[in-house]
Amino acid sequence: MFDIQNIRKDFPILERTIYGKPLIYLDNGATTQKPRCVIEAMTEEYLNVNANVHRGVHYLSQQATELHEAARETVRQFINARTSSEIIFTRGTTESINLVASSFGQAFLRDGDEVILTQMEHHSNIVPWQLLQARTRIIIKVCPITDDGRLDIAALPALFSDRTRLVCCTYVSNVLGTVNPMADIIRLAHSREVPVLVDAAQAAPHLPIDVQQLDCDFLAFSGHKIYGPTGIGVLYGKERLLEQMPPYMGGGEMIARVSFEHTTYNALPYKFEAGTPDYVATTGLARALDYVSALGFPAIQAHEQALTSYTREQLLTIPGMRIFGPSDDAVISFLVGEIHHLDLGTLLDRLGIAVRTGHHCAEPLMQRLGIEGTVRASFALYNTTEEADALVAAIQRVRQMF
Ligand code: PMP
């Protein structure tokens, strides 16, 4: 059973009040709150274990290394990667995608080669490809979306050519809540021998991911959006591709031997992990993934999807309500009448409700929708129908003020 009141007790911050009102935190798409077990695991490591990992002969260093490598194994199991050498720790989704753009770009992309993105990508899956364009004149093609906020899959096959080298696509839209048919997209790309990078920043917290079943070539997600700490994220990559890609950054950890004449690189995954890793954050991330796994995705999905569709129905009873996208999963973007998204967000905040407003780092999507921004309510496993009701009541109140 999914005991929401017990679950909420695991998240100390949910007891806070804001302007004297109970906090209603509906900004989980931006970042999630942390359960006590994550905070305690990291505190415990700082209090009792802290030492730099790898190559240390002393006890603490070995203990820290064991925790760090155990965390990698936890991530491997969480996404069912074949081997832990395919799990690269990064600072987050953004760094993971920049790593691929830079390193895969250097290895495989030449002037005139093509990369397919979609109209609903986050800036972090657009700008790294534009940065690459400054070095290699790749061509960026964009898969359009339909008016109801889904990928126009029918338009996808025509975007491929014999110069297509990579497809980069978000699994779940952080604005529209669309869950894209990732397995179909990957099958289509593979039928043309094109690898696929999956931005799983908004997918990892909400649906089970099996990279072998998906057969994706790269997959990125952030720890902080899945109840883990900030500053840590994951890049999964198929060993076969990672082996052929050059290092992203140079420094300690990523080398085998260094001389001024000739330097050789470390094996995977360390080749892509220059410098001291955030080994405390990896412990925190592993605890967060364990927490999610213990609850289980069947229960999490049932709860979040019921909550999302309930909230969507209730919101649609408000006159002037416009919802953007299908809100398949945990994200509802909307505007109400002529009220500016910023005004609505600010007034909701005064009532203790945290939502996000603006373009949500998806300006090309806003251009497609013909708007400047939206108000976005995004849910996590600890949100309740009472909170959804409070959101709807608060929007009604704001409407009356206008
Ligand atoms: N992709 C998507 C779909 C996102 O929602 C986000 C975060 N809003 C990112 C990428 C970037 O994640 P991060 O800032 O943690 O690197």
Side-chain angles (χ1 to χ4, degrees):
M1 271 303 292
F2 201 75
D3 182 348
I4 191 76
Q5 288 314 324
N6 257 334
I7 287 171
R8 288 179 68 82
K9 287 190 199 131
D10 294 335
F11 294 81
I13 206 170
L14 298 180
E15 281 154 35
R16 263 206 73 170
T17 53
I18 305 287
Y19 308 117
K21 307 206 165 44
L23 165 67
I24 296 180
Y25 186 77
L26 301 177
D27 193 18
N28 297 286
T31 200
T32 52
Q33 301 303 343
K34 320 305 172 198
R36 188 176 275 111
C37 62
V38 168
I39 300 164
E40 285 178 354
M42 295 173 72
T43 306
E44 162 60 20
E45 188 161 350
Y46 275 128
L47 286 174
N48 281 312
V49 183
N50 183 54
N52 207 335
V53 291
H54 299 142
R55 300 177 319 276
V57 291
H58 63 82
Y59 189 90
L60 287 187
S61 174
Q62 287 176 14
Q63 203 178 355
T65 304
E66 272 165 32
L67 283 170
H68 181 62
E69 292 306 327
R72 198 188 304 276
E73 172 59 18
T74 301
V75 173
R76 184 200 68 73
Q77 283 177 22
F78 190 77
I79 60 171
N80 192 33
R82 205 175 49 77
T83 137
S84 61
S85 45
E86 298 181 319
I87 304 297
I88 297 159
F89 286 123
T90 64
R91 284 190 301 123
T93 307
T94 302
E95 187 175 86
S96 297
I97 298 174
N98 274 274
L99 189 163
V100 177
S102 174
S103 175
F104 180 90
Q106 200 180 322
F108 296 111
L109 297 179
R110 302 288 167 262
D111 286 1
D113 282 347
E114 297 169 3
V115 172
I116 298 176
L117 310 180
T118 86
Q119 188 80 47
M120 64 169 80
E121 294 313 307
H122 188 277
H123 293 164
S124 63
N125 201 16
I126 299 173
V127 185
W129 303 104
Q130 294 174 327
L131 290 177
L132 177 64
Q133 269 180 323
R135 280 183 280 146
T136 308
R137 275 179 283 145
I138 60 162
I139 294 161
I140 294 174
K141 289 190 165 174
V142 181
C143 179
I145 59 168
T146 60
D147 288 337
D148 55 359
R150 297 200 176 278
L151 276 186
D152 188 354
I153 294 296
L156 192 53
L159 294 176
F160 284 85
S161 80
D162 58 0
R163 299 301 301 270
T164 310
R165 297 288 176 262
L166 191 65
V167 174
C168 307
C169 182
T170 192
Y171 201 156
V172 177
S173 162
N174 65 315
V175 179
L176 306 167
T178 318
V179 179
N180 288 320
M182 220 52 240
D184 295 343
I185 294 167
I186 291 166
R187 222 173 293 123
L188 175 70
H190 285 182
S191 72
R192 285 147 212 253
E193 289 173 19
V194 175
V196 178
L197 177 151
V198 179
D199 172 353
Q202 297 292 342
H206 304 296
L207 47 95
I209 290 174
D210 182 326
V211 291
Q212 292 188 75
Q213 198 176 23
L214 267 181
D215 200 24
C216 55
D217 301 275
F218 299 103
L219 181 133
F221 67 96
S222 300
H224 69 99
K225 290 188 203 279
I226 185 165
Y227 314 104
T230 49
I232 194 76
V234 172
L235 173 67
Y236 159 81
K238 277 187 186 159
E239 198 169 25
R240 179 179 58 79
L241 289 169
L242 293 175
E243 287 288 6
Q244 297 176 71
M245 289 160 50
Y248 175 50
M249 291 197 284
E253 302 268 345
M254 54 73 72
I255 51 86
R257 298 299 304 263
V258 177
S259 74
F260 282 114
E261 291 71 38
H262 185 62
T263 291
T264 53
Y265 307 128
N266 204 342
L268 290 175
Y270 309 107
K271 182 173 87 173
F272 291 107
E273 293 182 349
T276 299
D278 194 341
Y279 50 82
V280 177
T282 54
T283 299
L285 173 62
R287 279 314 279 266
L289 299 184
D290 284 342
Y291 182 87
V292 168
S293 299
L295 288 174
F297 274 113
I300 293 172
Q301 279 188 293
H303 172 72
E304 291 181 344
Q305 284 175 7
L307 181 60
T308 308
S309 50
Y310 172 78
T311 311
R312 192 179 156 99
E313 264 167 44
Q314 296 304 309
L315 285 173
L316 283 170
T317 65
I318 299 173
M321 173 62 63
R322 275 196 297 161
I323 294 181
F324 299 89
S327 327
D328 295 327
D329 208 356
V331 174
I332 308 178
S333 264
F334 57 90
L335 288 172
V336 184
E338 296 304 309
I339 308 173
H340 195 274
H341 53 84
L342 202 55
D343 293 335
L344 184 49
T346 308
L347 291 165
L348 289 176
D349 173 58
R350 286 279 152 182
L351 299 168
I353 302 176
V355 291
R356 190 140 295 244
T357 64
H359 55 58
H360 315 295
C361 296
E363 288 200 62
L365 175 57
M366 294 299 130
Q367 289 150 18
R368 165 65 175 83
L369 298 172
I371 54 177
E372 273 179 29
T374 71
V375 177
R376 180 186 74 183
S378 51
F379 302 104
L381 53 83
Y382 41 65
N383 289 121
T384 65
T385 44
E386 290 74 25
E387 291 179 314
D389 291 338
L391 170 70
V392 174
I395 295 170
Q396 293 281 24
R397 236 178 103 179
V398 173
R399 252 193 81 240
Q400 278 151 21
M401 288 164 60
F402 273 77

